Amino acid sequence: MNDNAPSSSAEHIDGQLRELAQRLAAVSNDFAVFAAARRAPTAGPVADNPPPVPRPRQEYPPQYAPPPVPQRPYPQQPQSGQPYPHRPYLYPPQLPQPSRRPAAAPGERLAAAAERGLIGRVLAVGGAVITLVGVVLLLVLAAQAGLLRPEVRVAGGAVFAVALVAAGAHVGGAAERRTGAIALVATGVAAGLFDTLAASSIYHWLPATAAIAVGAAITAGGAWQACRWDSQALCVLVSVPLLVFAPIVTAGVDETLIGATLAYAAAMLWPQVRRDWTALFLVNTAAATLPLLFAGVGEDLNAWFVGAAVAAGLTLALASAVILLPSSTRGALLGLGSAIAALPVFTLPTVLDRPMAAVVAGVCTALLAAAAFGTAHRTAVPVSCRITWVSAAAVTALAAIAYASSIDAVAPALLSTAVVMGLATHRAGTLRRVLLIIATVFGATGLAAMIYAGAITQLTVPGGIDPSIRASMLISTLVAIAAAAALTAAWADDAGTEDGPVWIAGGVVMLSLVTQLCISTADLITGGTDGGFRGGHTAATLVWFATAAAALLWARSAAGRARTVALATGLVVIAAGVAKLLLFDLAALSGMFRVIAFVAAGLVLLALGVAYAQRLTGEGPDRQPAADTAGPRNL
C-alpha cells in the first residue's frame, strides 16, 4: 500500500481550506471599499478613479490557484444636486425558450398516420369485416333466395378462403407488408370456418362431428401462421367475426355451433402459451360461452350434450387460465374471464330438467373449487384469481341448491353448506377469510330462508306453521345450531377478529336457535297444540337461565380474557332471559307453565347471587387467602 496517501489527502484538504479563506478575505475587502465609497461626503468633486485599497498578497499553492476575478469599476460620486447613478444590475443570462411548433394541419396528420401504418391497419380490418359479411351473405341469403347452386356456393366459399390464405402468406413474406397479410389470412381462415359450418348446418353434407374436426384443423392452420408471425391480431381477427357471424350461418344455436366454438377455443390455446395474449383469451372464452348461454332459445338440443358442453367449456377456460397465467401480466383478467365461462349454469333450466341442472351446477362448483384450492402452491396463480374462482363456486353452489331443493328444503341445504365451509376454513390457507365470509353469507341466507318458511310465526303463534313443514323446520334448526357453532369458532380463531364480541354474538344466536328448537320439538310432538307451544317456551326459558348460570359459574374459576368473555356472555343471557320472562312468558304462558318458568328463573338467580356473594366474602373455594404480612405472633 502507498504510505504517502494519507499525507497527500491531508495536504489537499488543507490547500482547499486555505483557498476558501483567501476568497472570503477578498470578498470582505471588496465590500469594505464599496461601503467606504458610499459613506464619502457628496459635497465637492470626487476623483474619477479613486485609488484602490491595497489588498494583502494572496499566495496560493500552484496546483490550487483560483481563476482571476474580473475587476469592475465602481460608479463615480455625483455632483451636488445630481442624481446618483445606479449601478447596473447584472441579470442572469436569458435562456433560449423552446419554440412552439404550430399545430399540424389535417393533411399533415393524415400523412403522419399513413407513415405509421395506422391507415393501412384500419383499411385492412375494414376490408376483412366487409369481405366476411359478403361471405355470410353468399352462404345464407343466397341459399334463402335460391341464387346459385348449393355446390357452387360451398365450393366457391372454399376456393375463396384458400385464395385469401395463399395471398396473405405470399404478401406476408415482407415484414413491411405484414399488416395487410394478417388481414388476408384472418379473412381466409374465418371464411373457411363459415363455409364448414354452412356445409353442416344449412346443407347437412357433413355430420356435426366431421364439421367440428374440419373446423379445428382450419383453426390450427391459422394458429400456426399466427405463431410464425407472432401476431395476436391475426387470431383476434378470426375470433371476433366467428363470435358475431357464426350464429347467423347456423341459423341459431345447435350442436354443431356449440361443438365448433369449443373446438375453436381449444385449438387457439397453444399459440397463447408463453405469450401475453389476454385479449385473445377473453374473446375465445366469450365465443365458446355465448352459444351455451343462449342454448335455451335455439332448437331442441340434447340435454346430455348441453350439460357436458357447459362442464367442458368451464374446464377448458379454467385449464387455459392456469396454463397462461405464468406468461400473463393481467392475471386478474384471466381469472375473471375463466369464471365467466360458468354463466351458462344459470340458464340450464331452460334446456335441462331441474335434477340434471342441479348435477351440472354441482359439477361446475366442484371444478371452480378445485381450481381455487388446487393451485394454492402455484406461485404463477395470483390470489386474485383464486378469490374469483372460489366466489364463482359459491354462486354456482347457490344455483345447484336452488335447482335441487324444494321450498322447505332450501334452508337445510344452505345451512349444511355453511357448516361444511365453516369447517373447511381451517385448511383454506390464504383463502380462509374469503371462505369464511362466503360461509357466513350462506348461513345468513339459510336463516332468512327459515324466517321465510315461518320460523318467527312458529315462535309467536301456537300452531302457526303448516304441519307439512314442521319436520323440515326442526331439521333446519338443528343444522342452524351447528352452522352457528362452526362459524363462531372460525371467526373467533381468525387472526384479524376480536374474539370476545364474536363469542357473545354467536352465543346469543345459538341460544335463539335453541328456543326455536324447543318450540319445533314441542310442535312436532304435540301436533301444534297450545300446550306444546307453552311447554316449548317454558323449556326455552329454563335453558336460557341454565346457560347463563353455567357461564357465570365457569367465569368464577376462569382467568384473563376467558373470564371476561364468559362473564359478559352470562350477564347478556341473564338480561335477555329476564326480558323474555317479563315481556313474553308472563303473557303467553299460563297455569303451571308460568309458575315453573318464574320459580326456576328465580332459583337460578338466587343461586348465582349466593355463589358470587361467597366469592366476595372469601368463603368460596376459589378465594385466595390474603398474605400474612404481620409476622409471627407472640404466643
Side-chain angles (χ1 to χ4, degrees):
M1 296 179 60
N2 187 3
D3 298 335
N4 297 327
S7 60
S8 62
S9 300
E11 291 175 359
H12 177 71
I13 296 172
D14 181 70
Q16 288 184 341
L17 292 175
R18 282 186 293 155
E19 177 186 353
L20 179 61
Q22 290 167 359
R23 288 193 178 188
L24 290 175
V27 173
S28 178
N29 289 336
D30 289 344
F31 184 80
V33 172
F34 176 75
R38 294 295 301 272
R39 289 194 300 269
T42 58
V46 182
D48 293 337
N49 295 320
V53 178
R55 299 178 181 178
R57 184 179 179 182
Q58 301 178 1
E59 296 181 357
Y60 297 97
Q63 65 272 26
Y64 301 111
V69 180
Q71 299 292 331
R72 294 185 177 88
Y74 292 100
Q76 299 180 0
Q77 295 292 333
Q79 298 292 336
S80 178
Q82 295 180 357
Y84 185 84
H86 293 282
R87 184 178 180 181
Y89 184 78
L90 300 178
Y91 290 95
Q94 295 293 329
L95 298 177
Q97 297 294 329
S99 59
R100 294 183 178 179
R101 297 182 58 185
E108 295 179 358
R109 290 198 295 267
L110 286 176
E115 290 293 333
R116 295 194 306 268
L118 178 61
I119 293 179
R121 287 193 291 271
V122 172
L123 292 176
V125 172
V129 172
I130 293 175
T131 303
L132 290 174
V133 170
V135 171
V136 172
L137 294 177
L138 172 68
L139 296 173
V140 178
L141 296 184
Q144 295 176 356
L147 301 177
L148 303 176
R149 293 176 58 83
E151 297 84 356
V152 175
R153 300 182 205 123
V154 176
V159 172
F160 184 60
V162 173
L164 287 174
V165 173
H170 175 71
V171 173
E176 62 273 9
R177 296 180 296 180
R178 190 64 56 78
T179 300
I182 288 172
L184 286 172
V185 173
T187 306
V189 172
L193 291 173
F194 293 155
D195 196 63
T196 304
L197 289 175
S200 177
S201 296
I202 298 177
Y203 305 112
H204 305 287
W205 293 344
L206 286 176
T209 306
I212 293 170
V214 172
I218 295 173
T219 303
W224 174 79
Q225 191 64 46
C227 287
R228 282 189 59 201
W229 290 344
D230 194 20
S231 174
Q232 179 182 203
L234 193 156
C235 298
V236 173
L237 283 176
V238 178
S239 301
V240 173
L242 183 69
L243 175 65
V244 176
F245 296 127
I248 299 176
V249 175
T250 58
V253 179
D254 57 4
E255 287 89 348
T256 304
L257 178 62
I258 293 174
T261 52
L262 289 175
Y264 174 82
M268 275 294 182
L269 174 61
W270 69 271
Q272 305 175 56
V273 178
R274 299 181 182 178
R275 290 185 173 89
D276 189 12
W277 289 1
T278 306
L280 180 60
F281 171 79
L282 295 176
V283 174
N284 289 347
T285 304
T289 303
L290 284 179
L292 293 169
L293 193 61
F294 294 99
V297 299
E299 300 177 359
D300 293 333
L301 303 177
N302 183 277
W304 288 101
F305 175 82
V306 173
V310 170
L314 181 58
T315 303
L316 177 62
L318 293 173
S320 300
V322 173
I323 293 172
L324 300 178
L325 277 171
S327 59
S328 176
T329 58
R330 299 176 180 87
L333 281 178
L334 289 181
L336 183 61
S338 57
I340 288 175
L343 284 178
V345 168
F346 303 101
T347 60
L348 286 176
T350 60
V351 184
L352 313 178
D353 55 6
R354 293 177 65 89
M356 185 176 292
V359 171
V360 176
V363 171
C364 292
T365 301
L367 290 172
L368 289 165
F373 294 102
T375 56
H377 302 291
R378 292 178 64 93
T379 57
V381 180
V383 179
S384 59
C385 281
R386 300 175 58 222
I387 292 175
T388 302
W389 292 335
V390 74
S391 303
V395 176
T396 54
L398 282 174
I401 292 172
Y403 297 156
S405 304
S406 58
I407 297 298
D408 55 344
V410 168
L414 290 171
L415 294 168
S416 300
T417 308
V419 172
V420 174
M421 290 183 179
L423 296 176
T425 55
H426 299 286
R427 296 185 176 274
T430 55
L431 297 179
R432 172 185 171 84
R433 175 63 68 86
V434 178
L435 190 62
L436 189 52
I437 293 173
I438 294 173
T440 305
V441 171
F442 268 75
T445 308
L447 291 177
M450 285 180 59
I451 294 173
Y452 179 79
I456 301 299
T457 305
Q458 188 181 36
L459 287 176
T460 55
V461 179
I465 64 173
D466 192 86
S468 61
I469 63 172
R470 287 172 185 164
S472 65
M473 185 64 69
L474 178 60
I475 296 173
S476 299
T477 305
L478 290 172
V479 181
I481 293 173
L487 292 176
T488 301
W491 276 112
D493 291 341
D494 191 69
T497 306
E498 187 72 20
D499 60 344
V502 170
W503 282 113
I504 294 174
V508 171
V509 171
M510 284 186 283
L511 205 58
S512 302
L513 291 172
V514 167
T515 304
Q516 188 76 45
L517 178 64
C518 295
I519 306 302
S520 297
T521 304
D523 268 359
L524 190 63
I525 293 175
T526 63
T529 61
D530 290 348
F533 177 79
R534 296 187 180 95
H537 271 289
T538 303
T541 301
L542 298 179
V543 170
W544 282 38
F545 279 94
T547 303
L552 292 175
L553 291 176
W554 181 66
R556 295 177 70 235
S557 59
R561 190 167 189 79
R563 169 185 166 82
T564 303
V565 172
L567 190 60
T569 303
L571 293 176
V572 168
V573 176
I574 282 290
V578 171
K580 180 180 182 299
L581 192 68
L582 297 177
L583 299 178
F584 184 83
D585 292 352
L586 186 61
L589 304 184
S590 62
M592 288 302 298
F593 294 111
R594 184 186 300 170
V595 172
I596 292 173
F598 274 81
V599 170
L603 290 177
V604 169
L605 291 177
L606 287 174
L608 290 174
V610 171
Y612 272 82
Q614 286 180 352
R615 179 175 177 88
L616 293 176
T617 57
E619 299 176 4
D622 53 347
R623 179 74 175 178
Q624 298 295 331
D628 190 1
T629 57
R633 298 181 180 180
N634 294 324
L635 299 177

